[in-house]
Amino acid sequence: MSSERPLPETITGEGVHVELTHAHLDVTSVMNTVKSPKAGAIVLFAGTTRDNFGGKPVKELQYSSYAPRALKTLFSIADATKSKHGLTAITMVHRLGVVPIGEESILIAVSSPHRQAAFRAGEEALEECKAKVEVWKLEEFGGEEGGVWRANRDGAAGIPGPVEKTVSGVWTNQD
């Protein structure tokens, strides 16, 4: 489901930056992309891999995407959020591949003249991302249970693994 092009992939516009990458996410560099003398507030959201889901121990998450579409969707969300909330800037960076426990899978930074707009915009951008962006995650559980593929949404039901990629590039459940 990932693009044939090498990552990181980015789209940048006026005050809007979105990126997909396999690299570790750097909080400071993401915050620096939204800093401005016009901004009185910067809000940063860092989504991290937790060690459990639904009472089951989680070993790691693995994120996959259809990068060309995911980037366009991320940009559309970021651009609309910037306009709606009068932001100075917004950056959304999503990590792909294996994300171990405690590491960041997504960073969203927003800056605006006032804090209320920054807080609202940051949360809205995250919820829109989870609802619309073409990113999927394999939640690997500890022990013999294997993993579950989920849309990148909180609490959404998943498809039990093992899951393998077919020659056509379509993900299928092999059970």
Side-chain angles (χ1 to χ4, degrees):
M1 287 189 192
S2 61
S3 168
E4 295 298 318
R5 296 180 294 179
L7 293 172
E9 293 284 347
T10 64
I11 301 178
T12 301
E14 189 173 328
V16 178
H17 176 84
V18 298
E19 182 176 336
L20 296 173
T21 182
H22 285 289
H24 291 283
L25 302 184
D26 181 346
V27 171
T28 302
S29 70
V30 168
M31 285 187 59
N32 285 340
T33 66
V34 300
K35 281 188 176 181
S36 167
K38 295 177 181 171
I42 293 176
V43 170
L44 173 77
F45 172 80
T48 59
T49 301
R50 64 181 173 268
D51 67 359
N52 69 86
F53 180 82
K56 299 176 188 173
V58 172
K59 183 176 95 175
E60 66 188 18
L61 298 180
Q62 296 178 33
Y63 288 91
S64 184
S65 78
Y66 177 62
R69 172 55 67 195
L71 279 167
K72 288 178 185 174
T73 304
L74 275 171
F75 189 85
S76 175
I77 291 167
D79 194 47
T81 302
K82 180 179 180 276
S83 294
K84 178 180 177 180
H85 294 282
L87 300 178
T88 306
I90 180 170
T91 293
M92 300 174 70
V93 181
H94 205 300
R95 185 169 168 189
L96 300 177
V98 174
V99 182
I101 303 299
E103 292 188 15
E104 293 82 12
S105 56
I106 187 168
L107 295 177
I108 299 173
V110 301
S111 63
S112 71
H114 304 285
R115 69 183 181 279
Q116 295 89 352
F119 278 115
R120 283 193 303 270
E123 183 175 17
E124 182 178 303
L126 174 65
E127 296 306 325
E128 287 290 300
C129 177
K130 289 178 113 6
K132 296 179 179 174
V133 177
E134 296 80 359
V135 172
W136 302 272
K137 67 181 172 185
L138 174 61
E139 206 159 44
E140 285 282 347
F141 297 112
E144 296 180 17
E145 189 169 345
V148 174
W149 277 105
R150 300 182 192 280
N152 196 18
R153 291 161 186 71
D154 290 332
I159 300 169
V163 180
E164 296 180 5
K165 189 174 181 182
T166 67
V167 174
S168 67
V170 176
W171 293 87
T172 60
N173 184 347
Q174 298 298 311
D175 280 346

